[in-house]
C-alpha cells in the first residue's frame, strides 16, 4: 500500500474518532448507538493528543496541532492533583472511589502518566520551551529513581527519560512547497530527528519564529538548540548537518 494511502487511512480514522467520541469539548471512552459513555481516562486523553500530534507531524495540517494543544491543556487542567503529584487516572466526577486512583506502572500498554509525560515532552519540543516541557520533567522527576531501579516495570518512563537526556535535533522547512521537499527529507532523516514543515506561518510553533519567508523556501538544521544559517537545498543541509554533529 502506498504511504499516501496509510496517511489517508490515519486521517479518516482520526476524523471518525472525533465525530463519534467528542461532543465539542469532552472526549469519551465509548459510544453506543450515538449515546456517549464514560468520559475519557488520562491514558485516553494522552493517546488522543499523541495521535493528533503525530498526524500533524506527517501531514502538517494545523487542525491536528490545535487538537494536540487542546488535549494537553485539558490534561493539565482537569487531571492534576494537589501537592504536585502525578496525574489522576480518572476524573473525580467519573469515579466511584473515595480517593483518586493513579496509573504508574507500564504493562502491555504504557501507564497513563508515562504516556502523558512523553506526549508533553514531544509537544514542548515543537511549541516550547514552556510549561509542557516543565510538566513532563516534573512527572519524570517523581518516577526517575523507580524507573532506574525497576526498568521492566517502567519501560515507557525509561523511554521518555532517554529522550530527555539525549541530544536533540530539528530540521525546519518553511516557505513555498515546503511539504513537497519534506517528503524527500524524511528518507534521510534519523529516527530521533524532528522535522517541522510549514507552507504558512504557524504561530504556535516556536521553531518557526523569525524563520518564515513567504517568498522563499528555507531550510534550517538545529542541534541542541544551536542552529545553522538558512539554506535552500537538501544537499546544502547535509553538509551543514555533518558540521554541526562533529
Amino acid at each position: 500500500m502506498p504511504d499516501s494511502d496509510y496517511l489517508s487511512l490515519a486521517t479518516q480514522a482520526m476524523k471518525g474518532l472525533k465525530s463519534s467520541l467528542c461532543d465539542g469539548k469532552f472526549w469519551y471512552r465509548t459510544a453506543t448507538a450515538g449515546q456517549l459513555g464514560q468520559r475519557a481516562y488520562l491514558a485516553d486523553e494522552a493517546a488522543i493528543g499523541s495521535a493528533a500530534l503525530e498526524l500533524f507531524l506527517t501531514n502538517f495540517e494545523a487542525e491536528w496541532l490545535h487538537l494536540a494543544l487542546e488535549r494537553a491543556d485539558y490534561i493539565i487542567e482537569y487531571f492534576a492533583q494537589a501537592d504536585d503529584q502525578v496525574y489522576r487516572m480518572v476524573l473525580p466526577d467519573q469515579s466511584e472511589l473515595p480517593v483518586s486512583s493513579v496509573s504508574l506502572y507500564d504493562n502491555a500498554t504504557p501507564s497513563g502518566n508515562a504516556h502523558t509525560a512523553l506526549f508533553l515532552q514531544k509537544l514542548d519540543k515543537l511549541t516550547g520551551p514552556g510549561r509542557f516541557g516543565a510538566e513532563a520533567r516534573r512527572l519524570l522527576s517523581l518516577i526517575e529513581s523507580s524507573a532506574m531501579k525497576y526498568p521492566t516495570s517502567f519501560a515507557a518512563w525509561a523511554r521518555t527519560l532517554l529522550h530527555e537526556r539525549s541530544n536533540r535535533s530539528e530540521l525546519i522547512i518553511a516557505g513555498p512547497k515546503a511539504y513537497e521537499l519534506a517528503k524527500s527529507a524524511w528518507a534521510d532523516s534519523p529516527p530521533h530527528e524532528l522535522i517541522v514543515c510549514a507552507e504558512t506561518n504557524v504561530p504556535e510553533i516556536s521553531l518557526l519564529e523569525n524563520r518564515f519567508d513567504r517568498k522563499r523556501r528555507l531550510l534550517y538544521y538545529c542541534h541542541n538548540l544551536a542552529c545553522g544559517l538558512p539554506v535552500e537545498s537538501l544537499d546544502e543541509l547535509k553538509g551543514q548537518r555533518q558540521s554541526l554533529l562533529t
Side-chain angles (χ1 to χ4, degrees):
M1 185 182 291
D3 290 346
S4 59
D5 289 346
Y6 286 118
L7 177 57
S8 178
L9 287 171
T11 304
Q12 290 175 30
M14 198 67 189
K15 288 181 177 179
L17 287 171
K18 188 176 181 181
S19 65
S20 301
L21 298 176
C22 180
D23 64 4
K25 179 179 180 181
F26 300 115
W27 281 72
Y28 295 79
R29 306 204 81 205
T30 59
T32 304
Q35 187 70 28
L36 293 169
Q38 190 176 24
R39 292 248 291 275
Y41 290 0
L42 174 64
D44 303 323
E45 292 286 356
I48 294 162
S50 295
L53 181 57
E54 291 299 330
L55 198 53
F56 171 74
L57 291 173
T58 306
N59 65 16
F60 300 103
E61 293 178 3
E63 170 189 0
W64 306 117
L65 174 61
H66 295 155
L67 177 57
L69 290 167
E70 174 189 286
R71 298 338 294 165
D73 288 334
Y74 180 85
I75 287 171
I76 292 172
E77 179 178 355
Y78 286 90
F79 285 88
Q81 298 193 91
D83 302 324
D84 289 330
Q85 296 300 307
V86 296
Y87 292 117
R88 54 172 59 93
M89 185 173 72
V90 183
L91 294 172
D93 61 353
Q94 300 290 303
S95 174
E96 297 178 356
L97 298 175
V99 295
S100 296
S101 56
V102 298
S103 171
L104 295 178
Y105 297 101
D106 299 321
N107 296 299
T109 57
S111 69
N113 274 282
H115 201 161
T116 297
L118 183 60
F119 167 47
L120 295 177
Q121 181 190 70
K122 192 164 189 177
L123 190 59
D124 184 72
K125 290 181 179 180
L126 186 66
T127 64
R131 69 189 184 110
F132 297 138
E135 273 298 290
R137 289 187 290 274
R138 183 185 69 79
L139 291 172
L140 287 172
S141 70
L142 297 172
I143 302 298
E144 182 173 2
S145 60
S146 297
M148 297 293 285
K149 192 172 182 180
Y150 307 105
T152 56
S153 297
F154 297 93
W157 287 104
R159 176 189 175 195
T160 310
L161 279 166
L162 181 63
H163 285 309
E164 186 66 29
R165 302 287 189 270
S166 299
N167 294 323
R168 57 179 290 181
S169 56
E170 296 91 19
L171 168 56
I172 301 136
I173 307 174
K177 298 183 178 179
Y179 185 58
E180 180 181 305
L181 190 63
K183 294 177 182 178
S184 300
W186 276 319
D188 297 323
S189 178
H192 66 276
E193 190 170 273
L194 177 65
I195 296 180
V196 179
C197 171
E199 297 186 351
T200 59
N201 195 22
V202 183
E204 295 88 348
I205 301 178
S206 63
L207 291 170
L208 291 175
E209 188 175 356
N210 300 321
R211 292 189 176 123
F212 187 82
D213 188 327
R214 292 184 179 180
K215 297 180 179 180
R216 285 197 306 161
R217 183 175 62 190
L218 298 174
L219 292 76
Y220 300 83
Y221 186 76
C222 304
H223 182 67
N224 290 337
L225 303 180
C227 300
L229 293 173
V231 296
E232 297 189 25
S233 72
L234 287 176
D235 287 336
E236 292 176 281
L237 189 83
K238 288 178 182 177
Q240 190 179 92
R241 179 192 277 137
Q242 289 177 351
S243 64
L244 283 171
L245 293 178
T246 56

